[in-house]
């Protein structure tokens, strides 16, 4: 495969996805073929492994490939591909990596400000979310609702409406099919319990009015999600 010459602009992972889809359609990769390993694709296409990973997830959504964790990425039969979705480059979803990177910046600051400004009532509501997550660790919909509320309450406690709106927007981006595709692959009870412990660390820092510690705890929590994304065996 030759190195891809990418046009400027657009989302890089979508451009890579389109290139791979074109290679599949043209027969470079045939039904049942296993695509080259992620590391090899990244080197050949001169992009990061993160970009390749997001491209492969996009292709799986389009049913061009099937990702079998620990085994590889395999080309699906032509009749399974969702051609009615149109050109991959028309998709305007933000990749998970960019969302996590932005969350680290914005939510780190929201935790910092909340540690300075949160009222006792706000802290109590934040702790209530943690208790609900503990009680619903095996009830994913309710666990997720408490998780979202935890982060939104911290954003509100930061006392800055712009920060609050940014956090809400970033969480809205999690509703994309691309996010769901990779996040569902990390849906393990142990990971949910780890999230609870991370939330406790964030809460304790805010409770003790330690802004820098709260920011660090929030960033560390988001870094765990990023590590799960990067550690997937594609």
């Amino acid at each position: 495969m030759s190195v891809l010459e990418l046009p400027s602009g657009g989302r890089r992972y979508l451009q890579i996805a389109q290139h791979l889809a074109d290679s599949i359609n043209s027969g470079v990769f045939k039904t049942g073929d296993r695509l080259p390993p992620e590391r090899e694709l990244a080197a050949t296409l001169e992009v990061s492994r993160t970009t390749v990973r997001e491209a492969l997830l996009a292709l799986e959504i389009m049913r061009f490939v099937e990702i079998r964790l620990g085994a590889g990425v395999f080309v699906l039969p032509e009749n399974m591909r969702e051609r009615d979705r149109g050109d991959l480059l028309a998709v305007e979803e933000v990749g998970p990596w960019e969302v996590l990177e932005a969350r680290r910046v914005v939510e780190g600051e929201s935790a910092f400000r909340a540690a300075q400004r949160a009222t006792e009532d706000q802290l109590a509501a934040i702790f209530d979310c943690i208790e609900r997550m503990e009680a619903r660790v095996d009830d994913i919909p309710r666990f997720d609702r408490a998780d979202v509320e935890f982060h939104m309450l911290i954003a509100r406690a930061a006392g800055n409406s712009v920060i609050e709106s940014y956090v809400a927007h970033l969480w809205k981006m999690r509703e994309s099919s691309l996010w769901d595709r990779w996040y569902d692959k990390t849906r393990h009870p142990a990971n949910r319990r780890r999230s609870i412990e991370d939330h406790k660390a964030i809460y304790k820092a805010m409770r003790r009015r330690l802004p820098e510690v709260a920011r660090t705890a929030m960033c560390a929590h988001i870094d765990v999600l990023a590590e799960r994304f990067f550690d997937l065996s594609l």
Side-chain angles (χ1 to χ4, degrees):
M1 186 190 306
S2 61
V3 173
L4 174 62
E5 294 183 4
L6 296 173
S8 60
R11 300 198 188 285
R12 182 62 64 91
Y13 82 88
L14 288 175
Q15 295 169 340
I16 296 297
Q18 185 67 63
H19 174 74
L20 292 173
D22 291 343
S23 296
I24 291 170
N25 285 331
S26 66
V28 174
F29 300 116
K30 297 178 174 57
T31 297
D33 282 355
R34 177 181 173 179
L35 294 187
E38 179 184 293
R39 189 184 301 275
E40 182 180 328
L41 284 173
T44 302
L45 299 171
E46 297 185 346
V47 294
S48 70
R49 290 178 64 189
T50 300
T51 299
V52 170
R53 177 156 300 189
E54 290 179 330
L56 293 174
L57 289 168
L59 281 178
E60 188 178 46
I61 292 170
M62 304 296 292
R63 303 299 296 157
F64 273 74
V65 301
E66 178 185 11
I67 295 173
R68 303 174 193 168
L69 294 183
V73 181
F74 296 85
V75 178
L76 289 174
E78 186 174 357
N79 62 358
M80 296 183 67
R81 299 169 199 166
E82 296 189 12
R83 298 184 182 280
D84 60 332
R85 293 282 297 271
D87 192 328
L88 281 171
L89 293 180
V91 179
E92 286 299 329
E93 290 189 354
V94 177
W97 196 260
E98 286 184 305
V99 174
L100 289 171
E101 189 173 54
R103 280 188 60 198
R104 195 181 194 280
V105 174
V106 177
E107 293 201 59
E109 189 62 23
S110 75
F112 181 96
R113 299 297 175 188
Q116 295 174 319
R117 300 170 177 172
T119 66
E120 290 301 315
D121 286 346
Q122 287 174 325
L123 289 170
I126 290 167
F127 185 71
D128 178 68
C129 290
I130 297 174
E131 291 186 318
R132 281 187 279 128
M133 290 175 73
E134 286 186 307
R136 302 294 183 181
V137 71
D138 293 320
D139 185 341
I140 291 177
R142 292 187 180 182
F143 181 93
D144 285 352
R145 285 196 291 272
D147 187 14
V148 174
E149 187 176 347
F150 174 86
H151 287 271
M152 289 310 306
L153 285 172
I154 291 174
R156 187 167 303 156
N160 185 306
S161 62
V162 176
I163 290 177
E164 184 179 354
S165 68
Y166 283 172
V167 171
H169 181 62
L170 287 168
W171 275 78
K172 187 72 174 174
M173 287 181 172
R174 287 171 49 113
E175 297 176 7
S176 73
S177 54
L178 191 65
W179 180 281
D180 285 343
R181 185 67 61 170
W182 87 264
Y183 195 56
D184 283 348
K185 298 179 188 300
T186 69
R187 286 292 199 179
H188 308 304
N191 286 346
R192 292 194 289 278
R193 285 191 285 270
R194 170 62 190 272
S195 290
I196 291 169
E197 293 307 309
D198 288 351
H199 284 193
K200 287 180 178 178
I202 296 165
Y203 168 78
K204 287 176 182 177
M206 294 189 298
R207 170 89 269 173
R208 295 170 183 170
R209 304 298 179 182
L210 299 172
E212 291 288 357
V213 177
R215 174 192 279 149
T216 299
M218 179 64 81
C219 289
H221 171 50
I222 296 170
D223 285 345
V224 168
L225 291 176
E227 287 167 10
R228 289 176 194 164
F229 175 72
F230 197 71
D231 289 343
L232 284 176
S233 299
L234 303 189

